[in-house]
Amino acid sequence: MNIGQAAAASGLSAKMIRHYEHSGLLQPTQRSDAGYRQYQPKDIEILKFIRRARVLGFSLADIAGLLALWQNPQRSNTVVKQVAQQHLAEVELKLQELHAMKQTLQQMIAQCAADGGAHCAILQHLAKPTRS
Amino acid sequence: MNIGQAAAASGLSAKMIRHYEHSGLLQPTQRSDAGYRQYQPKDIEILKFIRRARVLGFSLADIAGLLALWQNPQRSNTVVKQVAQQHLAEVELKLQELHAMKQTLQQMIAQCAADGGAHCAILQHLAKPTRS
DNA sequence: GCTTGACCTTGCCATGATGGTAAGGTTCAT
DNA sequence: ATGAACCTTACCATCATGGCAAGGTCAAGC
Protein backbone atom coordinates (compact mmCIF):
# COMPACT_ATOMS: atom_id res chain seq x y z
CA MET A 1 0.00 0.00 0.00
CA ASN A 2 1.48 3.33 -1.05
CA ILE A 3 1.13 6.57 0.84
CA GLY A 4 -1.76 7.83 -1.28
CA GLN A 5 -3.86 4.81 -0.47
CA ALA A 6 -2.86 4.98 3.17
CA ALA A 7 -3.95 8.61 3.20
CA ALA A 8 -7.31 7.79 1.63
CA ALA A 9 -7.83 4.88 4.02
CA SER A 10 -6.97 6.87 7.12
CA GLY A 11 -8.44 10.25 6.32
CA LEU A 12 -5.08 11.98 6.71
CA SER A 13 -3.23 13.70 3.88
CA ALA A 14 -0.12 12.12 2.43
CA LYS A 15 1.65 15.31 3.31
CA MET A 16 0.81 14.94 6.96
CA ILE A 17 1.74 11.27 7.10
CA ARG A 18 5.21 12.17 5.88
CA HIS A 19 5.32 14.98 8.38
CA TYR A 20 4.34 12.68 11.26
CA GLU A 21 7.08 10.29 10.27
CA HIS A 22 9.62 13.07 10.00
CA SER A 23 8.72 14.47 13.41
CA GLY A 24 9.05 11.09 15.09
CA LEU A 25 5.37 10.43 15.72
CA LEU A 26 5.51 7.46 13.36
CA GLN A 27 8.18 4.83 12.90
CA PRO A 28 9.68 4.94 9.40
CA THR A 29 7.92 2.34 7.27
CA GLN A 30 9.38 -0.18 4.92
CA ARG A 31 10.28 1.17 1.50
CA SER A 32 9.92 -0.33 -1.93
CA ASP A 33 12.95 -0.66 -4.18
CA ALA A 34 12.14 2.73 -5.63
CA GLY A 35 11.94 4.27 -2.16
CA TYR A 36 8.15 4.38 -1.89
CA ARG A 37 6.78 4.06 1.64
CA GLN A 38 4.86 0.78 2.12
CA TYR A 39 1.95 0.60 4.55
CA GLN A 40 0.53 -2.53 6.16
CA PRO A 41 -3.02 -2.84 7.54
CA LYS A 42 -1.52 -2.47 11.02
CA ASP A 43 -0.02 0.87 9.99
CA ILE A 44 -3.40 2.04 8.77
CA GLU A 45 -4.86 1.39 12.21
CA ILE A 46 -2.17 3.61 13.71
CA LEU A 47 -2.93 6.34 11.19
CA LYS A 48 -6.62 6.14 12.00
CA PHE A 49 -5.80 6.38 15.70
CA ILE A 50 -3.87 9.56 15.03
CA ARG A 51 -6.64 11.01 12.96
CA ARG A 52 -9.28 10.38 15.61
CA ALA A 53 -7.08 11.93 18.26
CA ARG A 54 -6.51 14.97 16.04
CA VAL A 55 -10.26 15.34 15.54
CA LEU A 56 -10.53 15.52 19.32
CA GLY A 57 -7.93 18.27 19.32
CA PHE A 58 -5.04 16.40 20.94
CA SER A 59 -1.66 17.90 20.07
CA LEU A 60 0.90 15.80 18.24
CA ALA A 61 2.91 15.67 21.46
CA ASP A 62 -0.11 14.29 23.31
CA ILE A 63 -0.72 11.80 20.54
CA ALA A 64 2.86 10.59 20.73
CA GLY A 65 2.23 9.80 24.38
CA LEU A 66 -1.13 8.18 23.72
CA LEU A 67 0.32 6.02 20.97
CA ALA A 68 3.10 4.84 23.27
CA LEU A 69 0.55 3.97 25.95
CA TRP A 70 -1.66 2.22 23.42
CA GLN A 71 1.20 0.02 22.31
CA ASN A 72 2.43 -0.70 25.81
CA PRO A 73 0.73 -3.74 27.39
CA GLN A 74 1.99 -2.56 30.80
CA ARG A 75 0.20 0.76 30.52
CA SER A 76 -1.89 2.28 33.28
CA ASN A 77 -5.26 3.73 32.36
CA THR A 78 -4.70 6.33 35.09
CA VAL A 79 -2.06 8.01 32.95
CA VAL A 80 -4.28 7.95 29.89
CA LYS A 81 -7.11 9.54 31.84
CA GLN A 82 -4.82 12.29 33.09
CA VAL A 83 -3.77 13.17 29.55
CA ALA A 84 -7.41 13.29 28.46
CA GLN A 85 -8.47 15.35 31.46
CA GLN A 86 -5.67 17.83 30.92
CA HIS A 87 -6.73 18.22 27.31
CA LEU A 88 -10.37 18.56 28.29
CA ALA A 89 -9.41 21.37 30.65
CA GLU A 90 -7.70 23.19 27.81
CA VAL A 91 -10.69 22.70 25.55
CA GLU A 92 -12.98 24.07 28.23
CA LEU A 93 -10.74 27.08 28.71
CA LYS A 94 -10.85 27.88 25.02
CA LEU A 95 -14.59 27.40 25.06
CA GLN A 96 -14.88 30.00 27.78
CA GLU A 97 -12.71 32.45 25.89
CA LEU A 98 -14.65 31.96 22.68
CA HIS A 99 -17.93 32.23 24.53
CA ALA A 100 -16.89 35.56 26.00
CA MET A 101 -15.92 36.77 22.53
CA LYS A 102 -19.24 35.63 21.15
CA GLN A 103 -21.21 37.42 23.85
CA THR A 104 -19.43 40.71 23.33
CA LEU A 105 -19.59 40.45 19.55
CA GLN A 106 -23.31 39.76 19.66
CA GLN A 107 -23.93 42.75 21.89
CA MET A 108 -21.91 45.01 19.65
CA ILE A 109 -23.63 43.77 16.53
CA ALA A 110 -27.07 44.17 18.06
CA GLN A 111 -26.31 47.80 18.85
CA CYS A 112 -25.13 48.60 15.34
CA ALA A 113 -27.74 50.31 13.21
CA ALA A 114 -26.19 49.29 9.88
CA ASP A 115 -28.10 52.10 8.17
CA GLY A 116 -25.14 53.16 6.07
CA GLY A 117 -24.35 56.05 8.39
CA ALA A 118 -21.02 56.87 9.99
CA HIS A 119 -22.13 56.40 13.57
CA CYS A 120 -21.14 52.92 14.66
CA ALA A 121 -21.62 51.25 18.02
CA ILE A 122 -19.04 48.61 17.16
CA LEU A 123 -16.25 51.08 16.48
CA GLN A 124 -17.33 53.05 19.52
CA HIS A 125 -17.02 49.99 21.68
CA LEU A 126 -13.56 49.19 20.34
CA ALA A 127 -12.47 52.79 20.80
CA LYS A 128 -13.76 53.15 24.33
CA PRO A 129 -15.72 50.26 25.76
CA THR A 130 -18.62 51.30 27.95
CA ARG A 131 -18.56 47.94 29.71
CA SER A 132 -17.07 44.44 29.57
CA MET B 1 6.59 58.35 25.45
CA ASN B 2 8.86 55.43 24.59
CA ILE B 3 7.69 52.03 23.42
CA GLY B 4 7.91 50.46 26.87
CA GLN B 5 5.52 52.99 28.33
CA ALA B 6 3.24 52.70 25.30
CA ALA B 7 3.20 48.95 25.82
CA ALA B 8 2.33 49.29 29.50
CA ALA B 9 -0.35 51.86 28.75
CA SER B 10 -1.97 49.83 26.00
CA GLY B 11 -1.62 46.31 27.33
CA LEU B 12 0.32 45.17 24.27
CA SER B 13 3.93 44.02 24.34
CA ALA B 14 6.66 46.24 22.91
CA LYS B 15 7.53 43.38 20.63
CA MET B 16 4.04 43.29 19.17
CA ILE B 17 3.88 47.05 18.71
CA ARG B 18 7.04 46.87 16.60
CA HIS B 19 5.58 43.93 14.73
CA TYR B 20 2.33 45.80 14.00
CA GLU B 21 4.33 48.71 12.66
CA HIS B 22 6.50 46.45 10.54
CA SER B 23 3.51 44.65 9.07
CA GLY B 24 1.79 47.88 8.11
CA LEU B 25 -0.97 47.83 10.71
CA LEU B 26 0.48 50.96 12.31
CA GLN B 27 1.96 54.04 10.71
CA PRO B 28 5.64 54.47 11.64
CA THR B 29 5.86 56.89 14.56
CA GLN B 30 8.18 59.79 15.07
CA ARG B 31 11.64 58.88 16.31
CA SER B 32 13.90 60.59 18.83
CA ASP B 33 17.42 61.61 17.82
CA ALA B 34 18.64 58.24 19.02
CA GLY B 35 16.03 56.43 16.93
CA TYR B 36 13.60 55.63 19.74
CA ARG B 37 9.96 55.44 18.72
CA GLN B 38 7.90 58.26 20.22
CA TYR B 39 4.24 57.75 21.08
CA GLN B 40 1.61 60.45 21.53
CA PRO B 41 -1.62 60.03 23.53
CA LYS B 42 -3.42 59.65 20.20
CA ASP B 43 -1.18 56.71 19.32
CA ILE B 44 -2.00 55.06 22.62
CA GLU B 45 -5.68 55.17 21.74
CA ILE B 46 -4.93 53.35 18.52
CA LEU B 47 -2.93 50.74 20.38
CA LYS B 48 -5.78 50.22 22.83
CA PHE B 49 -8.18 49.85 19.92
CA ILE B 50 -5.99 47.11 18.51
CA ARG B 51 -5.73 45.36 21.82
CA ARG B 52 -9.49 45.34 22.36
CA ALA B 53 -10.04 43.99 18.87
CA ARG B 54 -7.44 41.27 19.48
CA VAL B 55 -9.18 40.30 22.72
CA LEU B 56 -12.31 39.78 20.63
CA GLY B 57 -10.32 37.54 18.33
CA PHE B 58 -10.21 39.72 15.22
CA SER B 59 -7.29 38.91 12.94
CA LEU B 60 -4.69 41.54 12.21
CA ALA B 61 -6.08 41.77 8.69
CA ASP B 62 -9.55 42.46 10.08
CA ILE B 63 -8.12 45.01 12.47
CA ALA B 64 -6.37 46.81 9.64
CA GLY B 65 -9.77 47.18 8.00
CA LEU B 66 -11.49 48.25 11.19
CA LEU B 67 -8.81 50.83 11.91
CA ALA B 68 -9.19 52.29 8.44
CA LEU B 69 -12.95 52.49 8.90
CA TRP B 70 -12.55 54.02 12.33
CA GLN B 71 -10.36 56.77 10.95
CA ASN B 72 -12.52 57.41 7.91
CA PRO B 73 -15.28 59.96 8.60
CA GLN B 74 -17.03 58.79 5.41
CA ARG B 75 -17.33 55.24 6.68
CA SER B 76 -20.48 53.17 6.52
CA ASN B 77 -21.49 51.23 9.60
CA THR B 78 -22.89 48.56 7.28
CA VAL B 79 -19.37 47.52 6.35
CA VAL B 80 -18.27 47.44 9.96
CA LYS B 81 -21.19 45.25 10.88
CA GLN B 82 -20.40 42.85 8.07
CA VAL B 83 -16.85 42.43 9.32
CA ALA B 84 -18.10 41.78 12.84
CA GLN B 85 -20.74 39.34 11.69
CA GLN B 86 -18.27 37.43 9.60
CA HIS B 87 -15.97 37.14 12.57
CA LEU B 88 -18.84 36.12 14.85
CA ALA B 89 -19.70 33.34 12.43
CA GLU B 90 -16.14 32.03 12.63
CA VAL B 91 -16.18 32.20 16.41
CA GLU B 92 -19.45 30.28 16.49
CA LEU B 93 -18.01 27.65 14.18
CA LYS B 94 -15.05 27.13 16.44
CA LEU B 95 -17.36 27.00 19.42
CA GLN B 96 -19.27 24.18 17.80
CA GLU B 97 -16.11 22.27 17.03
CA LEU B 98 -14.79 22.66 20.54
CA HIS B 99 -18.14 21.75 22.00
CA ALA B 100 -18.16 18.51 20.02
CA MET B 101 -14.64 17.75 21.26
CA LYS B 102 -15.68 18.45 24.82
CA GLN B 103 -18.69 16.14 24.60
CA THR B 104 -16.69 13.23 23.26
CA LEU B 105 -13.83 13.79 25.69
CA GLN B 106 -16.22 13.85 28.63
CA GLN B 107 -17.86 10.62 27.53
CA MET B 108 -14.51 8.91 27.10
CA ILE B 109 -13.26 10.11 30.45
CA ALA B 110 -16.42 9.02 32.21
CA GLN B 111 -15.99 5.52 30.84
CA CYS B 112 -12.37 5.24 31.97
CA ALA B 113 -11.95 3.29 35.20
CA ALA B 114 -8.56 4.83 36.07
CA ASP B 115 -7.88 1.91 38.39
CA GLY B 116 -4.30 1.55 37.25
CA GLY B 117 -5.17 -1.36 34.97
CA ALA B 118 -4.32 -1.75 31.30
CA HIS B 119 -7.89 -1.79 30.05
CA CYS B 120 -8.75 1.70 28.89
CA ALA B 121 -11.98 2.95 27.38
CA ILE B 122 -10.23 6.06 26.07
CA LEU B 123 -7.65 4.14 24.07
CA GLN B 124 -10.35 1.76 22.93
CA HIS B 125 -12.39 4.63 21.62
CA LEU B 126 -9.41 6.10 19.76
CA ALA B 127 -8.54 2.72 18.31
CA LYS B 128 -12.03 1.84 17.16
CA PRO B 129 -14.82 4.23 18.07
CA THR B 130 -18.12 2.55 18.84
CA ARG B 131 -19.98 5.64 17.78
CA SER B 132 -19.71 9.44 17.44
C1' DG C 1 33.90 61.60 34.10
C1' DC C 2 32.72 56.86 34.46
C1' DT C 3 30.03 52.92 35.61
C1' DT C 4 25.78 50.47 35.99
C1' DG C 5 21.26 49.14 35.02
C1' DA C 6 17.29 49.75 32.50
C1' DC C 7 15.82 50.82 28.42
C1' DC C 8 15.90 50.97 23.20
C1' DT C 9 17.33 49.21 18.31
C1' DT C 10 17.43 45.51 14.49
C1' DG C 11 17.46 40.85 12.98
C1' DC C 12 17.00 36.09 13.14
C1' DC C 13 14.90 31.77 14.85
C1' DA C 14 11.03 29.05 16.97
C1' DT C 15 6.40 27.72 17.82
C1' DG C 16 2.10 24.11 15.72
C1' DA C 17 -0.31 21.98 12.21
C1' DT C 18 -1.05 22.32 7.72
C1' DG C 19 -0.79 23.66 2.72
C1' DG C 20 1.74 24.84 -1.50
C1' DT C 21 5.18 24.43 -4.92
C1' DA C 22 9.15 22.87 -7.38
C1' DA C 23 12.15 19.55 -9.46
C1' DG C 24 12.75 15.13 -10.21
C1' DG C 25 12.06 9.74 -10.15
C1' DT C 26 8.59 5.56 -10.77
C1' DT C 27 4.81 2.77 -12.29
C1' DC C 28 1.44 1.35 -15.30
C1' DA C 29 -1.69 1.35 -19.03
C1' DT C 30 -2.20 2.43 -23.58
C1' DA D 1 7.49 4.75 -25.77
C1' DT D 2 4.72 8.12 -24.08
C1' DG D 3 1.77 10.26 -20.77
C1' DA D 4 -0.91 10.29 -16.59
C1' DA D 5 -0.83 9.56 -12.02
C1' DC D 6 1.73 8.57 -8.56
C1' DC D 7 5.92 8.95 -5.49
C1' DT D 8 10.37 11.38 -3.47
C1' DT D 9 12.80 15.40 -0.98
C1' DA D 10 13.25 20.18 0.20
C1' DC D 11 11.97 24.66 0.93
C1' DC D 12 8.58 28.42 1.85
C1' DA D 13 4.13 30.30 3.80
C1' DT D 14 0.62 30.78 7.13
C1' DC D 15 -0.71 33.42 12.03
C1' DA D 16 0.39 35.83 16.25
C1' DT D 17 3.65 35.70 19.47
C1' DG D 18 7.99 34.93 22.18
C1' DG D 19 13.00 34.54 22.74
C1' DC D 20 17.69 35.66 22.09
C1' DA D 21 21.76 38.12 20.62
C1' DA D 22 24.56 42.05 19.78
C1' DG D 23 24.73 46.55 20.16
C1' DG D 24 23.30 51.70 21.09
C1' DT D 25 21.25 55.17 24.66
C1' DC D 26 19.90 57.39 28.76
C1' DA D 27 19.80 58.66 33.60
C1' DA D 28 21.29 58.17 38.25
C1' DG D 29 24.89 57.70 41.54
C1' DC D 30 29.72 57.65 42.77
Coordinates of all heavy atoms in Angstrom, one line a residue, chain A residues 13 15-16 19-20 32 34 36 54 59-61, chain C residues 16-22 24-28:
Chain A
S13 N -3.8 13.4 5.2 CA -3.2 13.7 3.9 C -1.9 13.0 3.8 O -1.2 12.8 4.8 CB -3.1 15.2 3.7 OG -2.1 15.7 4.6
K15 N 0.7 14.3 2.8 CA 1.7 15.3 3.3 C 1.8 15.2 4.8 O 3.0 15.2 5.3 CB 1.1 16.7 3.0 CG 2.0 17.8 3.3 CD 2.8 18.3 2.2 CE 3.9 19.2 2.6 NZ 4.5 19.9 1.5
M16 N 0.7 15.0 5.5 CA 0.8 14.9 7.0 C 1.4 13.6 7.4 O 2.1 13.6 8.4 CB -0.6 15.1 7.6 CG -1.0 16.5 7.6 SD 0.1 17.5 8.6 CE 1.1 18.3 7.4
H19 N 4.9 14.1 7.3 CA 5.3 15.0 8.4 C 5.4 14.3 9.7 O 6.3 14.5 10.5 CB 4.3 16.1 8.4 CG 4.6 17.1 9.6 ND1 5.8 17.8 9.7 CD2 3.8 17.5 10.6 CE1 5.7 18.6 10.8 NE2 4.5 18.4 11.3
Y20 N 4.4 13.4 10.0 CA 4.3 12.7 11.3 C 5.5 11.7 11.4 O 6.1 11.6 12.4 CB 3.0 11.9 11.4 CG 1.8 12.7 11.4 CD1 0.6 12.2 11.1 CD2 1.8 14.0 11.8 CE1 -0.6 12.9 11.1 CE2 0.7 14.8 11.9 CZ -0.5 14.2 11.5 OH -1.7 15.0 11.6
S32 N 9.8 0.5 -0.7 CA 9.9 -0.3 -1.9 C 11.3 -0.1 -2.5 O 12.0 0.8 -2.1 CB 8.9 0.0 -3.0 OG 9.2 1.3 -3.6
A34 N 12.0 1.4 -5.1 CA 12.1 2.7 -5.6 C 12.1 3.8 -4.5 O 12.2 5.0 -4.8 CB 11.0 3.0 -6.6
Y36 N 9.5 4.1 -2.3 CA 8.1 4.4 -1.9 C 7.9 3.8 -0.5 O 8.2 2.6 -0.2 CB 7.1 3.8 -2.9 CG 7.1 4.5 -4.2 CD1 8.1 5.3 -4.7 CD2 6.0 4.3 -5.0 CE1 8.0 6.0 -5.9 CE2 5.9 5.0 -6.3 CZ 6.9 5.8 -6.7 OH 6.8 6.4 -7.9
R54 N -6.6 13.6 16.6 CA -6.5 15.0 16.0 C -7.9 15.6 16.0 O -8.1 16.8 16.3 CB -5.9 15.0 14.6 CG -4.4 14.8 14.6 CD -3.6 15.9 15.3 NE -3.9 17.2 14.7 CZ -4.1 18.3 15.4 NH1 -4.1 18.3 16.7 NH2 -4.3 19.5 14.8
S59 N -2.9 17.4 20.8 CA -1.7 17.9 20.1 C -0.9 16.7 19.6 O -1.1 15.6 20.1 CB -0.8 18.7 21.0 OG -0.2 17.9 22.0
L60 N 0.1 16.9 18.7 CA 0.9 15.8 18.2 C 1.7 15.3 19.4 O 2.0 14.1 19.5 CB 1.8 16.3 17.1 CG 1.1 16.7 15.8 CD1 2.1 16.8 14.7 CD2 0.0 15.7 15.4
A61 N 2.1 16.1 20.3 CA 2.9 15.7 21.5 C 2.0 14.7 22.3 O 2.5 13.7 22.8 CB 3.4 16.9 22.3
Chain C
dG16 P 5.5 23.3 19.6 OP1 5.6 22.9 21.0 OP2 6.4 22.6 18.6 O5' 4.0 23.1 19.2 C5' 3.2 24.3 18.9 C4' 2.0 23.8 18.1 O4' 1.8 24.7 17.0 C3' 2.2 22.4 17.4 O3' 0.9 21.8 17.4 C2' 2.7 22.8 16.0 C1' 2.1 24.1 15.7 N9 3.0 25.0 15.0 C8 4.3 24.9 14.8 N7 4.8 25.9 14.1 C5 3.8 26.7 13.8 C6 3.7 27.9 13.1 O6 4.6 28.5 12.5 N1 2.4 28.3 13.0 C2 1.3 27.7 13.5 N2 0.1 28.3 13.3 N3 1.3 26.6 14.2 C4 2.6 26.2 14.3
dA17 P 0.9 20.3 17.0 OP1 -0.1 19.6 17.9 OP2 2.2 19.7 16.8 O5' 0.2 20.4 15.5 C5' -1.2 20.9 15.5 C4' -1.5 21.3 14.1 O4' -0.6 22.3 13.6 C3' -1.4 20.1 13.1 O3' -2.7 20.0 12.5 C2' -0.3 20.5 12.1 C1' -0.3 22.0 12.2 N9 1.0 22.6 11.9 C8 2.2 22.2 12.3 N7 3.2 23.0 11.9 C5 2.5 24.0 11.2 C6 3.0 25.1 10.5 N6 4.3 25.5 10.5 N1 2.1 25.9 10.0 C2 0.8 25.6 10.1 N3 0.2 24.5 10.7 C4 1.2 23.8 11.2
dT18 P -3.0 18.8 11.5 OP1 -4.5 18.5 11.6 OP2 -2.0 17.7 11.7 O5' -2.7 19.5 10.1 C5' -3.5 20.6 9.7 C4' -2.9 21.3 8.6 O4' -1.6 21.8 8.9 C3' -2.7 20.6 7.3 O3' -3.8 20.7 6.5 C2' -1.5 21.4 6.6 C1' -1.0 22.3 7.7 N1 0.4 22.4 7.9 C2 1.0 23.5 7.3 O2 0.4 24.4 6.7 N3 2.4 23.6 7.5 C4 3.2 22.6 8.1 O4 4.4 22.8 8.2 C5 2.5 21.5 8.7 C7 3.2 20.4 9.4 C6 1.2 21.5 8.5
dG19 P -3.8 20.1 5.0 OP1 -5.3 19.9 4.6 OP2 -2.9 19.0 5.0 O5' -3.2 21.3 4.1 C5' -3.8 22.6 4.2 C4' -3.1 23.5 3.2 O4' -1.7 23.8 3.8 C3' -2.9 22.9 1.9 O3' -3.3 23.8 0.9 C2' -1.4 22.7 1.7 C1' -0.8 23.7 2.7 N9 0.5 23.2 3.3 C8 0.7 22.1 4.0 N7 2.0 21.9 4.4 C5 2.6 23.1 3.9 C6 3.9 23.5 4.0 O6 4.9 22.9 4.5 N1 4.2 24.7 3.3 C2 3.2 25.4 2.7 N2 3.6 26.6 2.1 N3 1.9 25.0 2.6 C4 1.7 23.9 3.2
dG20 P -3.3 23.3 -0.6 OP1 -4.4 24.0 -1.3 OP2 -3.1 21.9 -0.7 O5' -1.9 24.0 -1.2 C5' -1.7 25.4 -1.0 C4' -0.4 25.8 -1.6 O4' 0.7 25.4 -0.7 C3' -0.1 25.2 -3.0 O3' 0.2 26.2 -3.9 C2' 1.1 24.3 -2.7 C1' 1.7 24.8 -1.5 N9 2.4 23.8 -0.7 C8 1.8 22.8 -0.1 N7 2.7 22.0 0.6 C5 3.9 22.7 0.4 C6 5.2 22.4 1.0 O6 5.5 21.4 1.7 N1 6.1 23.3 0.5 C2 5.9 24.4 -0.3 N2 6.9 25.2 -0.6 N3 4.7 24.7 -0.7 C4 3.7 23.8 -0.3
dT21 P 0.3 25.8 -5.5 OP1 -0.6 26.7 -6.2 OP2 0.1 24.3 -5.6 O5' 1.8 26.1 -5.9 C5' 2.6 26.8 -4.9 C4' 4.0 26.4 -5.2 O4' 4.5 25.5 -4.2 C3' 4.3 25.8 -6.6 O3' 5.4 26.3 -7.2 C2' 4.4 24.3 -6.2 C1' 5.2 24.4 -4.9 N1 5.1 23.2 -4.1 C2 6.3 22.8 -3.4 O2 7.3 23.4 -3.5 N3 6.1 21.7 -2.6 C4 5.0 21.0 -2.4 O4 5.0 20.0 -1.7 C5 3.8 21.4 -3.2 C7 2.6 20.6 -3.1 C6 4.0 22.5 -3.9
dA22 P 5.6 26.2 -8.8 OP1 5.5 27.6 -9.3 OP2 4.8 25.1 -9.3 O5' 7.1 25.8 -8.9 C5' 8.0 26.1 -7.8 C4' 9.2 25.2 -7.7 O4' 8.9 24.1 -6.8 C3' 9.4 24.5 -9.0 O3' 10.8 24.4 -9.2 C2' 8.8 23.1 -8.8 C1' 9.2 22.9 -7.4 N9 8.3 21.9 -6.7 C8 7.0 21.7 -6.8 N7 6.5 20.7 -6.1 C5 7.6 20.2 -5.4 C6 7.8 19.2 -4.5 N6 6.8 18.4 -4.1 N1 9.0 18.9 -4.1 C2 10.0 19.7 -4.5 N3 10.0 20.7 -5.4 C4 8.7 20.9 -5.8
dG24 P 15.2 19.3 -12.2 OP1 16.6 19.6 -12.2 OP2 14.3 19.7 -13.2 O5' 15.1 17.7 -11.9 C5' 15.6 17.2 -10.7 C4' 14.9 16.0 -10.3 O4' 13.5 16.3 -10.1 C3' 14.8 14.9 -11.4 O3' 15.5 13.8 -11.0 C2' 13.3 14.5 -11.5 C1' 12.8 15.1 -10.2 N9 11.3 15.4 -10.3 C8 10.6 16.3 -11.0 N7 9.3 16.3 -10.8 C5 9.2 15.3 -9.9 C6 8.0 14.7 -9.3 O6 6.8 15.1 -9.5 N1 8.3 13.7 -8.4 C2 9.6 13.2 -8.2 N2 9.6 12.2 -7.3 N3 10.6 13.7 -8.7 C4 10.4 14.7 -9.6
dG25 P 15.8 12.6 -12.0 OP1 17.2 12.2 -11.9 OP2 15.1 12.9 -13.3 O5' 14.9 11.4 -11.3 C5' 15.4 10.8 -10.1 C4' 14.3 9.8 -9.6 O4' 13.0 10.5 -9.5 C3' 14.1 8.6 -10.5 O3' 14.0 7.5 -9.7 C2' 12.8 8.9 -11.2 C1' 12.1 9.7 -10.2 N9 11.0 10.6 -10.7 C8 11.2 11.8 -11.4 N7 10.1 12.4 -11.7 C5 9.1 11.6 -11.1 C6 7.7 11.8 -11.1 O6 7.0 12.6 -11.7 N1 7.1 10.7 -10.4 C2 7.7 9.7 -9.8 N2 7.0 8.8 -9.2 N3 9.1 9.6 -9.8 C4 9.7 10.5 -10.5
dT26 P 13.8 6.1 -10.4 OP1 14.4 5.1 -9.6 OP2 14.1 6.2 -11.8 O5' 12.2 5.8 -10.3 C5' 11.6 5.6 -9.0 C4' 10.2 5.1 -9.1 O4' 9.4 6.1 -9.7 C3' 10.0 3.9 -10.0 O3' 9.1 3.0 -9.3 C2' 9.4 4.4 -11.3 C1' 8.6 5.6 -10.8 N1 8.3 6.7 -11.7 C2 7.0 7.1 -11.9 O2 6.0 6.5 -11.3 N3 6.8 8.1 -12.7 C4 7.8 8.9 -13.4 O4 7.5 9.8 -14.1 C5 9.1 8.4 -13.1 C7 10.3 9.1 -13.8 C6 9.3 7.4 -12.3
dT27 P 9.1 1.4 -9.6 OP1 9.4 0.8 -8.3 OP2 9.9 1.1 -10.8 O5' 7.6 1.2 -9.9 C5' 6.6 2.0 -9.3 C4' 5.3 2.0 -10.2 O4' 5.3 3.2 -11.0 C3' 5.2 0.8 -11.1 O3' 3.8 0.3 -10.9 C2' 5.3 1.4 -12.5 C1' 4.8 2.8 -12.3 N1 5.3 3.8 -13.2 C2 4.4 4.7 -13.7 O2 3.2 4.7 -13.4 N3 4.9 5.7 -14.6 C4 6.2 5.8 -15.0 O4 6.5 6.7 -15.8 C5 7.1 4.8 -14.4 C7 8.5 4.8 -14.8 C6 6.6 3.9 -13.6
dC28 P 3.4 -1.2 -11.2 OP1 3.0 -1.9 -10.0 OP2 4.5 -1.7 -12.1 O5' 2.2 -0.9 -12.2 C5' 1.4 0.3 -11.9 C4' 0.7 0.7 -13.2 O4' 1.4 1.7 -13.9 C3' 0.4 -0.4 -14.2 O3' -0.9 -0.3 -14.7 C2' 1.5 -0.2 -15.3 C1' 1.4 1.3 -15.3 N1 2.6 2.0 -15.9 C2 2.5 3.2 -16.6 O2 1.4 3.8 -16.6 N3 3.6 3.8 -17.1 C4 4.8 3.2 -17.0 N4 5.8 3.8 -17.6 C5 4.9 1.9 -16.4 C6 3.9 1.4 -15.8

